Each structure stands twice: as C-alpha cells, then as structure tokens.
Amino acid sequence: MIALDHLTVRLGGQPVLQDLSLRLEPGRITGLVGESGSGKSMTALAILGLLPAGAQVTGGVVLDGAEITTLPERRMARLRGREIGMVFQEPMTALDPLMTIGAQVAETLRIHRAASRAEARARAAALLIRVGLDPDRVPPERYPHELSGGQRQRVCIAMAIALRPRLLIADEPTTALDVTTQAHVLALLRRLVAEEGMALLLITHDLAVVSQMADTVAVLHRGRLVEQGPTAQVLTRPDHAHTRSLLAATGHRPVRAARSTGAPLLRVEGACKDYVTGRGIFTAPRRVRALNDVSFTLRRGESLGLVGESGCGKSTLARAVLGLEPLDAGRILLADAPVSPSMPAAQRRRAQAVFQDPQGSFDPRQRVARLVAEPFHLTGRPADAAAQVVDALRAVGLMAEDASRYPHQFSGGQRQRIALARALVIHPDLVVLDEAVSALDVSVRGRVLDLLARLQADRGLSYLFISHDMDVVRAITDRVLVMEAGRIVEEGPTAQVYAAPRHPRTRALLDAVPRLTQAGASGV
C-alpha cells in the first residue's frame, strides 16, 4: 500500500535519512526502532510531507504506485487524515486546549468535508465511544485538561482514525503513560488494525512493546535501515551489531554499591491533601482526596521507588515533598526540619528535582551556565559560581565548554544530564526524580541510570524515584512504594515486592509490563 523507495533526506546538506526502503502493508504492524536521532520521527514527517523547510529529498514515498513527496501542499493536505493518520507522543500538546474533545474529533471530519456539522458531531461521539471513552464518564463536552493522559491519547487516536485512513503512524504513543494505561492503548491500536485492515507504523524505543505488537520490525541507526524482518527473527537472532546493542540495553541494570542503613532523612507522616474541583455557576464543588494518610521514611543514601497508575497521587506527593504544595493534614520532615511552601531557602536547598522533560523546564533563551546556576538563589551566589557550574557539568559526564551552549544544541540524554547538574550544583541531600528517564531511548536510559548509581555512591544521595516504568524502578531502587487512589497500598524491599506482590494493584501493574518475548505479535 505505502512504500518508502530509497528515501534520502538531507537538512543543511547533512543526510538525516539515507537510502531508506520500507513496505507498510494493510492489516500489519511495523515497528520502527532506534536511538534518539536515528531518524524515526523524520521518517514519519517524510511520509506526511511535513519535513522542515529546505529539506532536500531524493527517492520517495509511494502510495498505490503514485509518488507523493512531490505533490503540492494542497493535494498533500487532502491525504493527511484521509489516507494517512498520525498519533503523536504527547497528546496534551497535540490537542487544542480551547476546544472540547468532541469538537476536535468533529473538526477532522468537517475540514475534509466528510460530514455536515450535525453528522460530524454524531460521528465524533461514536468515535470517542469506539476508542473506549464512555460518554457517561467522559462526555464529548469535556476539555483536554479535564482528562487523564491515557484518555487524551484515546482522543488523539479517535481524531487519527476519523476518516478511516489506510496508514496510521503512532510516534511513541505510550511513552508518557503508566503501564496499565499503556496496555489499554496498545490493545486499542491492535484492535483497530484488525478491524479496519489499516497498516500501523509504530515508532518506539521500547523493544518489549515491539515484540508484543509488531509483525515486522525495522531498525534505524544514524539514518540508515540496518536490519528489518519478522519481529521474532530480528529480536531473537539479530544480524546487526546495533540491534544486538539495543537488545542488551533493554535489560541493562546499573551496578549499585552495597547500601548501609543510614539515618532517616525524609519522614512523611499522615499526609493528606484535598483538591476542590467542579466549582462553577451551575455545578457544585467536589472534594477529591489526592493524598490519604500517606506515611513512609526515606533513609540517607537510599533509593526509594514510587509507582502507581496516572492520577494515583504520585505527583502530588512529589510536590509536597519538595515544599511546593501545602498539606491539609499530617507533616513532612526533611533532616528533622518541617517542609512546607513557606520553609526557608536553607531548608529548600536540601531537596532538588529532575523532571521528565528537561527541555520544558529550561528557558531556551539561556545558556547552560545560567540554567545550571539557577539554584544558587537558594544559597547565595558564591564567588566561584562559574567553577562550581563546571564541576557539576563534569560530574554528570559533560564538558566545561558545554556551559556556553544552549539547550537545543543537546540530545535528550544530554539535556537530562544538564538537569541533573542543575539539581546537584548546590549539593542537596535528596533528589526527586519524576519520570526522569521515561522519554529516553534504551541505550541513553542505561547510561543515565549508570550515572545516577555512580552519583549516589559518590555523594551519598537519597533518591525518590517516581516512574511508571516498573523495570527501571526494579533496576535503580532499594525499596518501593505502590500507590492507589492516594494511599500507599504496599511497600517493601524492591526485590521482595516484585517477586511476591501482596496487593492486587501491585500485581496488576506487574502483569501489565510488556515483556521482550520471542513470539512477536503472533504470540500475544
């Protein structure tokens, strides 16, 4: 149906895709894997005709025997949505925050003149039901910010399939989702392929997802297709060294120093937090309990994992631990001093954070030296601030000259190292890592986990590691907490909890983790 025929793309004279040939067949799922910068997303943009201005293209993309890379923009716009649909990685940025979800799905039909206004509204409602959004719980009149991450991704899928395209491209569609939500979204995509007979190009860095979803897999490395074939064959008997390195990185666990039991650093005692939602002219306010009597202790030099589904209270707890959110009841002590939004700068210095998307937390107009030096406002800028910034950059594996560059000049893994340098420059006792490696490909993730283990051993840091990636939590933590509906429902040594989970929520999370299987999609 759609074939990439010796496709080569150059930007500024430099090749980003080289001689790429790939067939996407109806009713089949093709997994496209590779490291960050290998050309995965550029392949999707080339198919959609959305390459950056000035891109030089040779070879082509063929749809039903016709070349489409040379089509004028007006004709290409007719193909997008109708013949080729797209699901992006971050649904919140793909959706219009000022439009209801029903209106956004209907807009796809209206733009292509596939339905009248009334018909589009009715079909949009039906599409939302089809992707698993119950109108009693998630009516079409909701706005994107009122939905969870998994629900927003389902809206994006409804928009992408509204015109029943023959090819659906899903670019990292589950990276930001917890494991149970991820399992639901992947099952939905698999069902749509079977029911609609469409081709699915699944772009991901998660080889376990590919092994369970894809019929065939293609491996990109520095813009070249180095290996492709049936999923089971490629993942069990890889021919190329890069494929073997990706498989090795998938199971990588950092070497961590033996832990001595340190004194308690962080104590959370009976923490409760309520939010009031639904307050409006015609709606009565509703009180939602985000944290419900949460208690735990984190010791010096210890790494504590925090896992649970989206909306269970993990991020609320992280904000409270960082002193960004007041509690309604209970207390939090860090180094025996209270934590709150009004705590002094000297206390706030003790805990720093690293977030999922460092690019979003950096000012793109500032150089790295300024960004890493930001926490000095808590301690006072020292006379040797520039030297301390360089020391922090070197500690995370970067170079002194990187201080003069801008964030956009770095890869995703390098930006995460800069975020770590910023957190470490004032020598905190506790680092809160909120999904700090979930957006990284497997090889970069492995290097960042090794870095975290080394820094912890060298500096005696304590980590609160929040993640939906159960394998990462197993690799980097000593103990784990499992949250459900604002409560800690299970806790214990990581190895013990994973080997013999006691609570149904823990078992559900572990059962939903995709495994790197030998059977490929046919074994699901």
Side-chain angles (χ1 to χ4, degrees):
M1 184 188 71
I2 290 184
L4 281 64
D5 184 18
H6 299 285
L7 179 68
T8 296
V9 176
R10 290 182 172 84
L11 294 176
Q14 297 297 317
V16 292
L17 291 176
Q18 302 182 64
D19 198 32
L20 184 61
S21 294
L22 186 66
R23 291 181 60 84
L24 304 173
E25 301 178 3
R28 294 180 67 80
I29 301 174
T30 300
L32 186 62
V33 301
E35 293 180 317
S36 296
S38 62
K40 302 188 302 294
S41 294
M42 197 62 67
T43 301
L45 295 177
I47 295 172
L48 288 161
L50 295 175
L51 289 170
Q56 300 168 305
V57 181
T58 58
V61 179
V62 179
L63 171 62
D64 291 340
E67 171 63 49
I68 64 173
T69 55
T70 56
L71 291 178
E73 173 59 22
R74 183 179 294 273
R75 289 188 59 191
M76 196 66 206
R78 296 194 194 109
L79 294 181
R80 298 188 198 112
R82 186 177 293 279
E83 301 289 344
I84 307 170
M86 180 76 180
V87 179
F88 294 96
Q89 176 176 347
E90 178 44 65
M92 195 59 183
T93 59
L95 295 172
D96 187 333
L98 301 180
M99 293 178 66
T100 65
I101 59 174
Q104 294 189 61
V105 177
E107 183 183 45
T108 303
L109 298 164
R110 295 281 293 147
I111 285 175
H112 286 271
R113 300 180 181 178
S116 65
R117 189 178 300 276
E119 291 171 339
R121 285 198 300 268
R123 286 172 60 178
L127 281 164
L128 291 172
I129 293 172
R130 188 178 182 193
V131 298
L133 295 177
D134 184 345
D136 293 331
R137 295 178 57 246
V138 188
E141 293 75 27
R142 287 276 180 91
Y143 287 88
H145 72 273
E146 299 179 290
L147 276 58
S148 69
Q151 290 170 335
R152 288 194 290 264
Q153 196 61 288
R154 289 173 184 265
V155 175
C156 289
I157 293 172
M159 293 169 63
I161 66 169
L163 294 163
R164 304 181 67 181
R166 290 188 287 169
L167 169 64
L168 182 63
I169 303 173
D171 190 357
E172 300 283 7
T174 60
T175 296
L177 306 180
D178 65 70
V179 287
T180 50
T181 305
Q182 173 181 261
H184 294 321
V185 170
L186 293 176
L188 169 62
L189 290 172
R190 198 161 47 231
R191 176 168 59 83
L192 290 171
V193 169
E195 292 176 355
E196 295 290 336
M198 67 174 66
L200 173 62
L201 179 61
L202 179 63
I203 299 172
T204 181
H205 62 250
D206 193 329
L207 293 181
V209 167
V210 168
S211 76
Q212 296 191 5
M213 286 285 291
D215 301 292
T216 59
V217 62
V219 183
L220 273 176
H221 180 51
R222 296 179 180 175
R224 290 188 178 275
L225 195 60
V226 296
E227 187 164 1
Q228 63 176 309
T231 301
Q233 175 183 317
V234 171
L235 297 186
T236 57
R237 299 184 300 279
D239 291 329
H240 198 273
H242 184 64
T243 311
R244 291 193 291 271
S245 71
L246 290 176
L247 288 166
T250 297
H252 176 76
R253 293 191 182 184
V255 177
R256 303 180 65 226
R259 295 284 174 273
S260 59
T261 303
L265 172 67
L266 174 71
R267 294 205 300 269
V268 179
E269 301 173 351
C272 295
K273 176 64 182 178
D274 292 345
Y275 291 110
V276 176
T277 65
R279 180 184 285 131
I281 298 175
F282 302 108
T283 57
R286 184 168 64 95
R287 186 172 293 274
V288 176
R289 174 142 290 191
L291 296 179
N292 193 349
D293 194 26
V294 172
S295 299
F296 66 88
T297 298
L298 172 61
R299 297 185 176 276
R300 292 185 181 273
E302 185 182 33
S303 185
L304 179 64
L306 180 62
V307 300
E309 289 186 318
S310 297
C312 70
K314 302 190 301 295
S315 294
T316 300
L317 180 57
R319 290 195 297 271
V321 166
L322 290 166
L324 302 175
E325 196 83 63
L327 294 176
D328 294 318
R331 66 174 184 166
I332 299 175
L333 300 175
L334 179 61
D336 296 322
V339 171
S340 72
S342 60
M343 64 184 173
Q347 174 71 349
R348 192 174 293 280
R349 177 202 66 80
R350 293 180 177 275
Q352 293 294 297
V354 178
F355 299 102
Q356 176 176 347
D357 179 16
Q359 180 75 350
S361 61
F362 290 153
D363 185 338
R365 300 167 297 179
Q366 303 295 337
R367 297 180 190 270
V368 166
R370 171 75 178 274
L371 296 171
V372 174
E374 282 180 339
F376 284 139
H377 79 277
L378 297 173
T379 61
R381 189 175 181 87
D384 63 341
Q388 290 192 35
V389 166
V390 170
D391 288 343
L393 290 173
R394 286 175 172 161
V396 299
L398 296 174
M399 298 180 291
E401 51 265 36
D402 290 330
S404 62
R405 300 168 68 190
Y406 290 94
H408 73 269
Q409 296 176 288
F410 295 89
S411 69
Q414 289 172 323
R415 285 195 292 266
Q416 201 60 292
R417 289 173 183 263
I418 295 169
L420 273 170
R422 181 171 63 177
L424 297 176
V425 73
I426 55 175
H427 304 283
D429 301 312
L430 169 66
V431 178
V432 178
L433 299 135
D434 191 356
E435 301 287 5
V437 298
S438 64
L440 305 178
D441 65 63
V442 288
S443 54
V444 176
R445 181 183 69 189
R447 291 193 287 271
V448 172
L449 292 178
D450 286 339
L451 171 63
L452 290 172
R454 176 175 62 79
L455 290 170
Q456 185 171 44
D458 292 345
R459 301 190 176 208
L461 294 168
S462 297
Y463 291 149
L464 178 59
F465 202 96
I466 302 168
S467 180
H468 62 251
D469 191 323
M470 302 293 285
D471 286 334
V472 168
V473 170
R474 174 159 40 190
I476 199 68
T477 64
D478 304 296
R479 290 189 301 123
V480 63
L481 308 174
V482 182
M483 285 194 79
E484 181 182 31
R487 289 182 177 274
I488 302 294
V489 296
E490 186 163 358
E491 63 177 299
T494 303
Q496 177 182 311
V497 169
Y498 275 60
R502 300 187 307 274
H503 195 274
R505 173 49 50 201
T506 311
R507 291 194 292 271
L509 290 171
L510 291 171
D511 288 344
V513 175
R515 303 296 179 194
L516 192 59
T517 64
Q518 297 184 358
S522 61
V524 177

